[in-house]
């Protein structure tokens, strides 16, 4: 045990609500051999571009000019060619934007941190889906927001509260934690509400490329920038990342927004870590330019197979009275237990039985909904998914 009495009273007030979660501690146990974990949203490492990455990095470092560049400090905005690649990719999706609308970040997570810091004053309202991404709650939390629900995925509205609205935060495609996708109508309603009540919309989209089925829906940025002619006239800030389509260890993500906001964000980037790792940016760009769509297709096929394995196992193993969704992409599925049951209370028993999940309460800003859990199917094999769901079924039957 470390003695923390020296430091505790010296912590800044913004640390008052920041705590390590018990769940994280429990899920650490879930990494033990013999436990099948549906806990973390962890990409399947057999999809990583390991050999191509080795070849690419070697190639960069073998060229004296490229090598010197890769190992040097860089501009805070990010590598110009990578910013161009992001702008081109979005333009192909119907978003008119320029490299100057793009900031390269150390993962999308850093974008969330920056947005919290530049947009939230203590007591400001942040509108979110209910439940929402825990990492966003952690990033925004130290700035002291008051969270308010955007009413359900498909019935956005009724968000009026007394405070200044900092922004709305949504994961429209295959959300973490629910796996749900906002309908086209819900996207339109959110943008109309943002216009009527004059707030910024933060669209976090790390999973969008991982669609297994169903109609591809336009991003909020595409809808808003499309209606206004250019990203510079849009109220949407869009976050993307290589984490789920190449590798999360690279820590390369991006933010796309109107230039004046990007300029402020660049100042945050400079103060935070000067620039995203340059070698990683250069290597990620080369991999993205050579066969990214093939890699994405392989990931889609793999995760679709795992989702199907989980859905099939749930059908046979779950007792009456449980509900779950059928995600159209991504890595997560949301399980709802009968009213009155507490998923967190079940977790120690589940771990004992050799299966782990994340209790849903962690994803609610006020932790008030307890009869739900997030199941991630991205990491375990299909055989382990079937086995793990059987184990979970036995725990739920009591
Ligand atoms: N947003 C969401 C919704 C996520 O699920 C994650 C990763 N768990 C992130 C952002 C952070 O991604 P990155 O690795 O790009 O920082």
């Amino acid at each position: 045990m470390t003695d923390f009495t020296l430091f505790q009273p010296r912590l800044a007030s913004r640390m008052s609500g920041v705590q390590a979660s018990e769940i994280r501690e429990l899920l650490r146990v879930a990494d033990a051999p013999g436990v099948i974990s549906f806990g973390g949203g962890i990409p399947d490492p057999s999809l990583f571009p390991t050999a191509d990455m080795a070849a690419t990095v070697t190639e960069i470092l073998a060229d004296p000019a490229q090598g010197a560049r890769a190992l040097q400090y860089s501009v805070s905005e990010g590598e110009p060619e990578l910013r161009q690649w992001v702008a081109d990719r979005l333009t192909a999706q119907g978003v008119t934007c320029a490299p100057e609308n793009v900031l390269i970040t150390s993962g999308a997570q850093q974008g969330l941190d920056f947005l919290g810091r530049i947009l939230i004053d203590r007591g400001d309202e942040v509108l979110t889906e209910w439940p929402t991404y825990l990492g966003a709650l952690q990033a925004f939390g130290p700035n002291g927001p008051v969270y308010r629900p955007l009413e359900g995925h498909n019935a956005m509205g009724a968000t009026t509260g007394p405070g200044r609205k900092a922004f709305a935060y949504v994961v429209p495609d295959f959300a973490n934690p629910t796996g749900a996708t906002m309908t086209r109508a819900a996207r339109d309603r959110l943008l109309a509400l943002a216009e009527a009540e004059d707030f910024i919309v933060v669209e976090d989209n790390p999973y969008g490329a991982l669609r297994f089925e169903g109609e591809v829906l336009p991003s909020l940025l595409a809808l808003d920038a499309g209606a206004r002619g250019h990203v510079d006239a849009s109220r949407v800030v869009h976050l993307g990342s290589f984490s789920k389509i190449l590798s999360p260890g690279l820590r390369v993500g991006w933010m796309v927004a109107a230039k004046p906001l990007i300029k402020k964000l660049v100042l945050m980037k400079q103060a935070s870590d000067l620039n995203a790792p340059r070698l990683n940016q250069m290597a990620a760009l080369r991999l993205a330019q050579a066969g990214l769509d093939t890699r994405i297709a392989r990931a889609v096929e793999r995760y679709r197979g795992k989702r199907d394995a989980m859905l099939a196992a749930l059908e046979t193993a779950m007792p009456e009275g449980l509900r779950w969704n059928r995600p159209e992409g991504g890595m997560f599925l949301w399980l709802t237990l009968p009213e009155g049951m507490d998923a967190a209370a079940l977790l120690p028993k589940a771990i004992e039985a050799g299966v782990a999940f994340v209790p849903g309460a962690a994803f609610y800003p006020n932790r008030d909904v307890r009869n739900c859990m997030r199941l991630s199917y991205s990491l375990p094999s299909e055989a382990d998914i079937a086995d793990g769901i059987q184990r979970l079924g036995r725990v739920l039957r009591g």
Side-chain angles (χ1 to χ4, degrees), residues 42 49 54 109 115 118 131 155 158 193 218 258 283 305 311 319 326 348 351 371 380 392:
I42 313 280
Q109 187 66 31
L115 288 169
I118 74 163
L193 189 71
L311 288 172
R326 178 189 172 91
I351 290 175
N371 61 323
L392 185 61

Side-chain angles (χ1 to χ4, degrees), residues 23-24 27 38-41 128-138 147 169 175-178 207 332-334 357-370 372-376:
I23 302 294
R24 200 170 273 270
L27 288 174
F38 303 130
T128 72
E129 292 157 297
W130 215 263
T132 189
Y133 171 48
L134 176 57
L137 297 176
Q138 287 169 328
Y147 293 106
Y169 167 76
N176 183 356
T178 59
Y207 304 101
F332 306 106
L333 183 149
W334 190 248
F357 55 84
V358 185
F363 303 100
Y364 286 89
N366 53 10
R367 296 175 177 261
D368 57 345
V369 181
R370 311 199 60 87
C372 46
M373 64 177 74
R374 187 188 76 178
L375 297 175
S376 169

Side-chain angles (χ1 to χ4, degrees), residues 106-109 112 133 169 171 176 204 206-207 241 243-244 248 251:
S106 298
Q109 187 66 31
L112 296 174
Y133 171 48
Y169 167 76
V171 187
N176 183 356
D204 185 9
Y207 304 101
S241 174
S243 289
K244 308 303 193 298
R251 310 307 303 133

